[in-house]
Amino acid sequence: MAEYIMALDAGTTSNRCMLFDRKGRVCAFAQKEFKQIYPRPGWVEHDPDEIWYSMVYVAREAMNSIGAVHSDIAAIGITNQRETAVVWDKISGKPVYNAIVWQCRRTSDYCNELKASGFSERIRLKTGLVVDAYFSGTKIRWILENVPGAMEKAEKGELLFGTVETWIIWKLTAGRVHVTDYSNASRTMMFNINTLEWDQDILRLLNIPASMLPEVMPSSCIYGMTDREVLGGPIAVSGAAGDQQASLFGQKCFNPGDIKNTYGTGCFMLMNTGKRPVFSDKGIVTTIAWGQGGEIDYALEGSVFSAGSVIQWLRDELKLIESAKDSEFLAGKVNDTNGCYVVPAFTGLGAPYWDQYARGTIVGITRGVNKYHIIRAALEAIAYQTNDVADAMKEASGFELRSIRVDGGASRNNLLMQMQADISSLTLYRGSNAETTALGAAFLAGLAVGFWSDKDDIINSVDMDQQSFIPALSEEKRSAGIREWHRAVQRSLEWAE
């Protein structure tokens, strides 16, 4: 009998594979980074073939590390960087252009044209999203308009589009299956989350042929079997979800009002809102959480573009730290930021501001500010951005927030987590298993093949010990800090317009 579920985690900077047992324990792990391509300032690309080859590498590496063969694996679940767009030739299987990454801002001007033409509200009510270069739709349009011959081939039905999980499933099944799941479809700015169909009006507006688009299926169902050549034999591919929705599922946020925040390259907060979409005009987007068990669950989401990347910036560009873990130790050398605030708007600001022309600023510098203050201010910026999202989400949903479940690499930073609890005045719960995104993909895949019978079986089978961080800052200091943070944000807005 198969002992493991394989989770393939297609991240922004690396691919990872984990094998989980029934108790949700990581039994094998492999990771491989891939190249980041920056053709121009604000443009970000990946090589789709490198994404695929590195994913196969980590899958085989994880299996080999414990001597597992294909028959030991009950199913494969995939989670992915969501809005990244891949377009490839249907016959040759070759990408027509590099994958345009979710961080890429090349379509900002076109998004402004859509806004100026009055399409924002129509698109928001259909897709739940704000008009922004972040999402996939305008990336596809750019490829069709800028790659010679692409539009002609697309109109003939010769090109396919997919977010990263679609590309990986297509490759795993040797081109037999072209699908996406509800959660990823809802991030394209082309999918109507009310009717659960690709929206023909938006496709006409973006001039994207419907023949390019994958079939939309539940997040937990059998899409197909892997080609024998990939992993030594057929394995059911039966789970897929965008990384943040997978994290919500992995955190067992199965009930309306449950909320989680992932500290990755960016920060992503999601709240389960149940069986109906809740719309917000406060910069919080509405999205599909997952499709499972014949039902759709919806969520509110707030995205912060720069979180873990702030710590990388301290390390790689400013050279203030030698490793990411140094940020906690060095920031702890001072008790405050000495009035200094960092706004890390490296690629604009996401929720709730949605200003693609904002740029990073450091304000409040006096002669007494040293590198420890700047490091601490950079960590605080992550917490302040998250608090802005939490406040907007609370207003939009009407739910009273009391706690947040946290995960992601930067959530291992205890100082940052205490800062977050203090600034948000919410208790944080951090599970002992930091791999909740991959675990969510594993849960979805496992449910489809009976590895776990239902959500209650997951709750009872998978134990996730939690550490809590309780607010300890006075309301006076908290309010003063938030007020000064908002002043700093105002200095960064519209800088590059």
Side-chain angles (χ1 to χ4, degrees), residues 98-228:
N98 280 335
I100 300 181
V101 180
W102 61 272
Q103 300 160 310
C104 188
R105 309 306 299 171
R106 76 185 64 192
T107 62
S108 295
D109 289 343
Y110 177 60
C111 289
N112 285 341
E113 292 174 18
L114 290 175
K115 294 175 187 175
S117 299
F119 291 111
S120 295
E121 187 67 2
R122 187 189 312 178
I123 290 174
R124 185 179 72 85
L125 292 176
K126 285 171 175 279
T127 69
L129 308 177
V130 298
V131 175
D132 193 84
Y134 180 36
F135 304 109
S136 313
T138 58
K139 296 175 169 64
I140 305 169
R141 177 187 164 117
W142 188 95
I143 290 174
L144 294 180
E145 291 186 343
N146 288 275
V147 174
M151 180 62 81
E152 182 182 358
K153 295 188 75 171
E155 289 174 342
K156 291 180 180 178
E158 296 175 2
L159 295 186
L160 299 178
F161 153 75
T163 41
V164 173
E165 94 296 344
T166 298
W167 169 244
I168 291 173
I169 293 171
W170 194 83
K171 296 290 282 186
L172 283 170
T173 60
R176 292 187 294 270
V177 179
H178 183 220
V179 299
T180 188
D181 88 293
Y182 284 116
S183 71
N184 276 294
S186 74
R187 306 298 296 184
T188 62
M189 212 175 79
M190 301 181 294
F191 189 72
N192 191 314
I193 64 172
N194 306 291
T195 64
L196 303 180
E197 296 173 327
W198 296 115
D199 192 273
Q200 297 304 312
D201 290 338
I202 296 177
L203 294 182
R204 282 190 291 269
L205 177 65
L206 298 178
N207 197 19
I208 294 173
S211 61
M212 298 180 65
L213 306 180
E215 180 184 359
V216 185
M217 298 183 70
S219 311
S220 179
C221 72
I222 298 176
Y223 308 118
M225 306 298 288
T226 62
D227 188 74
R228 290 177 177 273

Side-chain angles (χ1 to χ4, degrees), residues 184-360:
N184 276 294
S186 74
R187 306 298 296 184
T188 62
M189 212 175 79
M190 301 181 294
F191 189 72
N192 191 314
I193 64 172
N194 306 291
T195 64
L196 303 180
E197 296 173 327
W198 296 115
D199 192 273
Q200 297 304 312
D201 290 338
I202 296 177
L203 294 182
R204 282 190 291 269
L205 177 65
L206 298 178
N207 197 19
I208 294 173
S211 61
M212 298 180 65
L213 306 180
E215 180 184 359
V216 185
M217 298 183 70
S219 311
S220 179
C221 72
I222 298 176
Y223 308 118
M225 306 298 288
T226 62
D227 188 74
R228 290 177 177 273
E229 299 299 316
V230 180
L231 298 174
I235 305 172
V237 183
S238 60
D243 50 11
Q244 303 314 317
Q245 289 95 328
S247 172
L248 190 71
F249 205 84
Q251 286 275 27
K252 305 180 186 177
C253 292
F254 300 147
N255 300 309
D258 288 348
I259 190 169
K260 73 91 195 177
N261 193 45
T262 295
Y263 297 80
T265 302
C267 254
F268 302 92
M269 180 177 287
L270 268 73
M271 173 191 283
N272 186 328
T273 60
K275 308 304 179 186
R276 64 181 182 87
V278 175
F279 292 91
S280 165
D281 59 0
K282 303 297 184 182
I284 301 299
V285 303
T286 306
T287 195
I288 293 177
W290 49 74
Q292 191 269 327
E295 296 181 316
I296 298 292
D297 280 68
Y298 292 88
L300 286 171
E301 175 171 341
S303 303
V304 170
F305 292 160
S306 297
S309 58
V310 179
I311 299 173
Q312 294 171 338
W313 170 70
L314 293 173
R315 180 193 66 195
D316 299 338
E317 275 72 42
L318 297 192
K319 311 294 185 185
L320 294 181
I321 60 177
E322 292 185 2
S323 67
K325 65 181 181 181
D326 292 340
S327 62
E328 180 175 358
F329 173 72
L330 296 176
K333 284 183 169 291
V334 290
N335 294 323
D336 55 39
T337 67
N338 201 7
C340 173
Y341 289 81
V342 173
V343 182
F346 304 137
T347 56
L349 286 173
Y353 304 101
W354 291 105
D355 184 347
Q356 56 198 357
Y357 297 110
R359 289 297 179 266

